[in-house]
Amino acid sequence: MDRPLLTTKLHVPALRANLVPRPRLVERLNDGLRDQHRLILVCAPAGFGKTTLLGEWIQSLPEGEGPAPRVAWITLDEGDNDPARFSAYLVAALRQLDEAVGQASTGALALAGSLLHEAQLVELINQLAALPQTLILALDDYHRVTSQVIHDAVTFLIDHLSENLHLVLATRGDPPLPLPRLRARGQLTELRQSDLRFTATEAAAFLNDVMGLDLWPEDMDALEARTEGWIAGLQMAALSLQAQPPDLTGQARSEFIRAFAGSHRFVLDYLVEEVLERQPPALQQFLLKTSILERLTGALCDAVLGDELPVSDFAGSQAILEHLEDSSLFIVPLDHQRQWYRYHRLFADLLQQRLARSLPDSLAALHRRASAWHEQHGLMAEAIDHALAAGDHERAAALIEESVEATLMRSEITTFLNWVDRMPDESVRRRPTLCFFHAWALLMSGQSLDLVEQRLQDMLAVQESPESADMAAGRLAALRAYLMLFQADMPHAAELCQQAFDLLPESEVFLRNVVAWILSLARLADGDPRDGRQALAEVARMGQESGNRLIAVAALCYQAKLQARQGLLHRAREILERALRLATDFQGRRLPIASEPLIGLGELQREWNHLDAAAGYLTEGLELAGQWSELAAFDAYFPLARVRLAQGDRDGAHQALETAQQIARRSQATEIDDLVAALQLAYLSAMEGDIAAALRWAERRGLFSVGVPERDDTHHLIDARLRKYEQIVLARVLILQGQASEGLALLEVLLAEARHLDRVDLIIEIQILRALAFQAVGRADQAIAALAQALSLAEPGGHLRTFLDEGEPMATLLRQASAQGVAPAYVTQLLAAFGEPAPSGREAGPASSTAQPLVESLSQRELEVLRLLAAGMSNPEIASELVVAVSTVRSHCKSIYGKLNVHSRWGAVARARDLGLI
């Protein structure tokens, strides 16, 4: 008697009403049809929505010029490994396309699955080829099939499919079919785990729209990252959240999401039932013991397992890993050479929990072997982590000491602090080198000075020889020089730097680089700009040569700051981009110190009025800064506040400043950060019209009774560093309060100071404020004159926000300047940024003449010189860049001026921009 067929296996599963649409994947499947691919393969682990995706696709199949595609569907199970049963379902499914299909093979069907023989398959293919429609045969859960007879039959079908028939397979692992050949011939469409995982947008739609959770954006991002887009994982997390008490607070939900792991009961049950227990016992042992590894490769797994390789069917761990990848067993490839892998995070959580419960006595040995392998291969961070996990603190301490300088050079301060936090305090105190660098990292991260001092005392307590005492003294001098840098005591910092140089041996590369950097900053602060800049350039070079990216990037960023202070913003950008490249490792990952150039680039983009780009740079910089020092993030909040204010987000601006104030309050290294945060808040208050708040700040700082300090004032070093910035804000407040005359008097003093310091950026700001003050007291000619000077200095760098932030009073001044022909092209650009249309015809004034073409074009070399001029480079710098004499550069400049009909480098740059030459 024939066994009845289960007709539900032949129906495409119905779609849920609350489906998250996946048009990007549906289009990929449609492309497979249009491109006449023989096989469409959807391969991913359990719970990635393979069946749901195919159902959505089939429901939306497009109609072409002819009839709509027709679909035959089979949901397979283990019983379908019987060739006869498989044949019966195959014929039943295909008859849904056309009743005549398989008729001639009915008699042969009784002969133990002879339909799978070549002759019968040929007859079946011919029948399907005669049909007019596009046909789709979909085999769901194909991983259930283990019969080689069936695999051979499917291979024959693939090799001889007619043009109107497409085979679609949904499976958890790669089937034993000719996939490489199909891939090479362009006859295969394949969607993998990386394709099927929910994107952030899809995850948000599922969690909030489908599951109705109303999660915060940061919680959705955290959950999507934790589950790695695994749809079943997201669903189980959502069910878990729905099962929580209805009065669960938002913060409590956030904590639940961050704790969500593979040990959670819903995830645990699913992974155990659907994944782990379906594997052979020996393979389960491999999975458990290698789950301690963050990354897996064959040789590492062999080393960890030792003589206990549990799976005898494979020639080593590498073959097992490749099998796991082919089986899509929640393993993620990390390269294209099939060398490095990792487990899906939730799967790793499950495995680690099971390992700790079932083989607790094996954990330490497994971690020790992993530590030894990583050390042998120069992967010190991983070696240290495994030594700590094994509880081998002496080994961990030795490894940390060996790698601490390299770790700090990469700006991985947080990593080092985490290592020390996991060590018993006694193990740290016995090692002077560990004590010192712990003190250093604590200082860099802005932690308590008491903790820093305690570690230094620990270091001094265990010195054993005169040589070690000299080393300790040199290290102390370097650390205290760094502390003096925080406190703006540059003369004292320079003295300590010299002591450190005298005591530290050449082998102390990291500290000597740091000391050289501090000394270069001290020279700059002492008013020695040329020697300071040269020293800074030398520090950057030394840092790069020694691999000290922390100092090299810091030196480059300070060089960029100096360029920006000169108004040379484009040159500053070039240096920052160079620093950013240096702060990126060979795998394209940003090191924590990349926060510095990112923040600098964000400030430049803000000045150029690219507010979205600025916010992006600053946000990324803040994220990276948090990986090495909270203090490193401090300076980013001020340009971010100004970006938010320019975007009309007053709450966002205040929130940024409040965060900066919190960081300042937590830091004990200096009071400068507290004063800077208060200064920035006073500026924001003034810009928002809260004059009373700004005046209260000025009173607290004693600005009405204290003038600009002398440059050699050594008694109030911090005040001397900040006072000019505070007085500029005070002048702004006075003008806004209606005391423009008093503001002008203060600005005159500040202008002289800025000129003495050669601070072009401050001169621009002061001249703008003078222009606004003159305007307020009705001295129009002097207002335009001051504005013209600001424009002439600001145009080469392309400053915009410096003018735009002044609002309508500045727009009025710019209209007057335009009418008088002052810097016509630049003023037109600024007015356009204010939202005013560009002038045309006679109204354009002198700017209209700049659009005339050149009588004689510039040579290629002259164009090179012109671009370097625009970058703000001096003649000697251009000569060095082009490897020519300075006199040659002067000749090129003279020729450029003549051809452009200008008389200065800035006129040449402005004219070239009008002509589109740069």
Side-chain angles (χ1 to χ4, degrees):
M1 178 177 176
D2 291 339
R3 181 177 178 178
L5 298 181
L6 189 62
T7 57
T8 54
K9 287 163 58 73
L10 305 177
H11 295 162
V12 179
L15 297 182
R16 297 190 302 271
N18 55 4
L19 177 76
V20 175
R22 314 199 73 187
R24 62 185 178 89
L25 299 182
V26 168
E27 188 58 27
R28 290 271 300 277
L29 297 171
N30 286 334
D31 288 341
L33 287 185
R34 286 190 290 265
D35 296 340
Q36 294 292 313
H37 288 175
R38 292 178 175 273
L39 176 63
I40 296 175
L41 180 69
V42 182
C43 181
F48 271 91
K50 300 180 292 295
T51 301
T52 301
L53 172 64
L54 290 181
E56 178 188 357
W57 172 54
I58 288 169
Q59 292 283 357
S60 65
L61 279 172
E63 294 190 17
E65 296 179 358
R70 303 199 64 186
V71 179
W73 179 283
I74 308 175
T75 299
L76 299 167
D77 56 41
E78 282 80 358
D80 295 321
N81 279 294
D82 179 349
R85 183 176 176 185
F86 181 87
S87 299
Y89 275 109
L90 180 63
V91 170
L94 293 174
R95 280 181 178 167
Q96 293 186 346
L97 304 177
D98 191 286
E99 280 294 328
V101 174
Q103 288 286 359
S105 301
T106 304
L109 183 59
L111 302 177
S114 61
L115 180 59
L116 299 183
H117 292 176
E118 182 175 316
Q120 284 74 32
L121 289 171
V122 168
E123 183 179 351
L124 187 65
I125 292 169
N126 290 338
Q127 291 176 352
L128 294 171
L131 298 178
Q133 305 102 325
T134 295
L135 308 175
I136 296 171
L137 171 60
L139 304 180
D140 193 20
D141 286 343
Y142 191 77
H143 55 275
R144 308 283 193 191
V145 173
T146 58
S147 167
Q148 190 58 47
V149 172
I150 296 175
H151 291 318
D152 291 343
V154 172
T155 298
F156 187 88
L157 279 174
I158 293 171
D159 288 340
H160 300 90
L161 285 178
S162 56
E163 291 186 359
N164 67 326
L165 179 60
H166 303 268
L167 181 62
V168 178
L169 301 183
T171 175
R172 293 184 183 178
D174 279 359
L177 302 175
L179 301 183
R181 171 160 49 86
L182 293 171
R183 194 178 291 118
R185 294 178 179 177
Q187 297 174 338
L188 174 65
T189 292
E190 50 189 329
L191 297 181
R192 299 284 180 171
Q193 173 179 329
S194 58
D195 303 303
L196 270 69
R197 57 173 293 178
F198 265 172
T199 64
T201 301
E202 290 168 338
F206 174 77
L207 293 168
N208 281 351
D209 299 342
V210 174
M211 302 302 290
L213 292 176
D214 193 25
L215 296 179
W216 294 341
E218 55 269 29
D219 288 341
M220 287 188 291
D221 292 343
L223 197 52
E224 191 273 334
R226 193 77 185 90
T227 60
E228 299 187 64
W230 181 36
I231 300 171
L234 281 167
Q235 184 172 24
M236 285 180 281
L239 292 171
S240 301
L241 282 167
Q242 288 179 336
Q244 298 302 309
D247 59 347
L248 191 70
T249 66
Q251 186 59 39
R253 289 207 302 185
S254 297
E255 293 172 359
F256 174 88
I257 287 168
R258 282 156 180 76
F260 186 74
S263 58
H264 192 278
R265 62 187 180 90
F266 288 119
V267 182
L268 180 65
D269 292 345
Y270 186 94
L271 289 174
V272 167
E273 181 178 344
E274 290 292 326
V275 181
L276 189 59
E277 290 186 351
R278 292 177 180 269
Q279 309 309 314
L283 191 55
Q284 290 186 38
Q285 288 291 302
F286 177 90
L287 294 169
L288 291 175
K289 292 181 177 181
T290 57
S291 68
I292 67 166
L293 302 171
E294 184 70 24
R295 299 186 306 151
L296 307 99
T297 193
L300 171 57
C301 292
D302 286 341
V304 168
L305 295 169
D307 298 328
E308 305 170 9
L309 186 66
V311 187
S312 59
D313 295 340
F314 296 93
S317 297
Q318 186 63 34
I320 299 175
L321 292 172
E322 292 175 8
H323 166 74
L324 294 175
E325 181 187 10
D326 292 341
S327 303
S328 294
L329 196 66
F330 283 88
I331 192 168
V332 181
L334 300 177
D335 57 34
H336 298 294
Q337 291 76 42
R338 306 189 81 183
Q339 293 295 317
W340 286 95
Y341 302 86
R342 69 170 174 83
Y343 292 126
H344 187 287
R345 290 186 181 88
L346 294 181
F347 191 45
D349 289 342
L350 162 69
L351 295 173
Q352 290 164 9
Q353 184 219 19
R354 283 226 158 183
L355 175 64
R357 190 174 68 241
S358 61
L359 298 169
D361 296 336
S362 300
L363 277 171
L366 293 171
H367 280 295
R368 278 195 295 269
R369 293 173 194 161
S371 178
W373 188 93
H374 282 104
E375 182 189 6
Q376 291 166 8
H377 290 80
L379 301 170
M380 300 302 291
E382 292 85 350
I384 292 166
D385 284 332
H386 283 291
L388 290 169
D392 192 343
H393 298 121
E394 287 305 303
R395 171 178 172 78
L399 291 172
I400 293 170
E401 280 194 332
E402 182 182 344
S403 59
V404 59
E405 290 196 19
T407 302
L408 296 181
M409 285 179 180
R410 291 192 301 271
S411 67
E412 295 170 350
I413 285 86
T414 300
T415 296
F416 171 71
L417 289 173
N418 287 338
W419 287 337
V420 176
D421 287 345
R422 293 164 65 187
M423 296 274 293
D425 193 58
E426 180 59 32
S427 297
V428 178
R429 289 204 310 270
R430 289 198 301 265
R431 294 177 175 267
T433 294
L434 205 52
C435 289
F436 170 75
F437 282 110
H438 189 211
W440 187 278
L442 290 170
L443 180 60
M444 292 188 74
S445 61
Q447 296 193 37
S448 167
L449 292 180
D450 291 339
L451 292 176
V452 174
E453 187 60 34
Q454 181 58 55
R455 273 294 177 244
L456 293 178
Q457 294 304 316
D458 292 339
M459 177 189 75
L460 295 173
V462 289
Q463 302 307 314
E464 299 176 354
S465 67
E467 292 79 10
S468 64
D470 286 346
M471 174 77 80
R475 288 174 169 176
L476 279 173
L479 185 142
R480 289 186 170 130
Y482 190 61
L483 183 58
M484 291 303 102
L485 181 65
F486 278 130
Q487 297 177 356
D489 190 347
M490 305 313 287
H492 195 188
E495 292 175 13
L496 289 165
C497 284
Q498 194 56 58
Q499 291 178 27
F501 271 134
D502 293 340
L503 293 168
L504 290 172
E506 294 292 334
S507 59
E508 289 285 294
V509 176
F510 171 74
L511 287 179
R512 291 182 70 87
N513 283 171
V514 172
V515 168
W517 171 64
I518 297 171
L519 195 55
S520 68
L521 299 183
R523 289 177 180 173
L524 286 165
D526 284 343
D528 189 356
R530 174 170 295 185
D531 285 352
R533 283 195 294 266
Q534 290 176 350
L536 203 58
E538 179 64 14
V539 170
R541 184 192 64 78
M542 290 167 49
Q544 291 182 66
E545 289 181 356
S546 64
N548 192 343
R549 299 194 192 198
L550 175 72
I551 291 303
V553 171
L556 286 171
C557 288
Y558 205 88
Q559 284 182 311
K561 179 181 289 188
L562 294 177
Q563 295 294 324
R565 287 177 174 178
Q566 293 297 305
L568 306 176
L569 305 189
H570 298 285
R571 177 63 173 156
R573 181 186 61 188
E574 292 178 0
I575 298 173
L576 289 170
E577 288 174 344
R578 177 182 163 199
L580 187 58
R581 290 192 295 271
L582 185 62
T584 305
D585 68 16
F586 68 95
Q587 294 179 325
R589 293 177 301 193
R590 301 264 168 83
L591 298 174
I593 190 60
S595 61
E596 295 290 295
L598 286 167
I599 292 168
L601 288 167
E603 292 186 83
L604 293 178
Q605 293 296 333
R606 185 201 69 82
E607 182 58 47
W608 289 326
N609 202 32
H610 303 149
L611 299 180
D612 290 341
Y617 277 119
L618 293 169
T619 300
E620 185 180 359
L622 285 169
E623 291 171 356
L624 285 168
Q627 297 178 22
W628 72 286
S629 169
E630 184 179 55
L631 281 178
F634 178 72
D635 288 337
Y637 286 103
F638 307 129
L640 182 61
R642 297 195 182 193
V643 167
R644 297 304 184 215
L645 190 62
Q647 293 173 326
D649 182 5
R650 295 179 60 182
D651 290 342
H654 281 279
Q655 183 180 5
L657 291 187
E658 173 58 29
T659 304
Q661 287 180 307
Q662 291 172 2
I663 293 173
R665 285 192 290 267
R666 286 193 290 268
S667 171
Q668 298 181 20
T670 178
E671 64 173 318
I672 291 178
D673 45 16
D674 300 275
L675 299 176
V676 169
L679 167 66
Q680 295 290 337
L681 183 59
Y683 169 84
L684 181 63
S685 298
M687 298 304 288
E688 291 184 321
D690 189 353
I691 305 303
L695 287 172
R696 287 194 299 272
W697 161 80
E699 288 282 2
R700 287 195 302 271
R701 290 293 296 143
L703 297 182
F704 294 110
S705 57
V706 181
V708 177
E710 296 295 327
R711 286 183 297 279
D712 61 350
D713 186 353
T714 58
H715 300 292
H716 303 286
L717 295 167
I718 292 175
D719 282 352
R721 182 174 178 180
L722 291 179
R723 191 64 73 188
K724 54 184 172 292
Y725 304 107
E726 293 177 330
Q727 296 281 21
I728 289 173
V729 173
L730 175 60
R732 178 185 299 280
V733 173
L734 291 172
I735 296 168
L736 291 172
Q737 194 187 20
Q739 297 179 337
S741 297
E742 291 82 348
L744 276 169
L746 179 56
L747 289 169
E748 292 300 327
V749 178
L750 289 167
L751 182 59
E753 177 76 4
R755 283 174 172 163
H756 178 85
L757 295 173
D758 196 23
R759 286 288 300 273
V760 174
D761 59 333
L762 295 183
I763 296 171
I764 292 171
E765 185 176 4
I766 291 167
Q767 292 287 26
I768 286 174
L769 290 175
R770 289 180 73 238
L772 293 171
F774 282 129
Q775 180 189 42
V777 297
R779 294 154 67 178
D781 290 345
Q782 289 170 290
I784 294 299
L787 178 61
Q789 292 183 49
L791 291 168
S792 67
L793 293 172
E795 184 173 9
H799 293 70
L800 290 179
R801 286 293 346 160
T802 299
F803 296 90
L804 298 177
D805 288 344
E806 304 300 338
E808 182 55 32
M810 175 54 63
T812 300
L813 272 176
L814 289 169
R815 293 187 203 103
Q816 296 170 7
S818 177
Q820 297 182 35
V822 176
Y826 189 30
V827 169
T828 298
Q829 180 187 5
L830 286 166
L831 287 171
F834 269 112
E836 300 193 9
S840 59
R842 289 183 178 273
E843 295 178 2
S848 61
S849 64
T850 63
Q852 299 300 317
L854 295 177
V855 174
E856 182 182 357
S857 61
L858 272 62
S859 68
Q860 190 61 41
R861 177 60 92 180
E862 288 168 346
L863 286 171
E864 288 183 61
V865 172
L866 186 60
R867 294 189 187 100
L868 297 175
L869 287 173
M873 296 178 69
S874 65
N875 285 356
E877 289 174 327
I878 294 173
S880 176
E881 181 77 15
L882 299 179
V883 196
V884 297
V886 175
S887 59
T888 303
V889 175
R890 292 196 193 100
S891 297
H892 285 313
C893 289
K894 183 177 180 180
S895 176
I896 291 168
Y897 298 164
K899 291 179 179 181
L900 295 178
N901 191 27
V902 296
H903 304 287
S904 69
R905 63 166 50 207
W906 307 128
V909 170
R911 172 85 163 123
R913 287 191 177 124
D914 287 340
L915 293 168
L917 297 176
I918 56 176

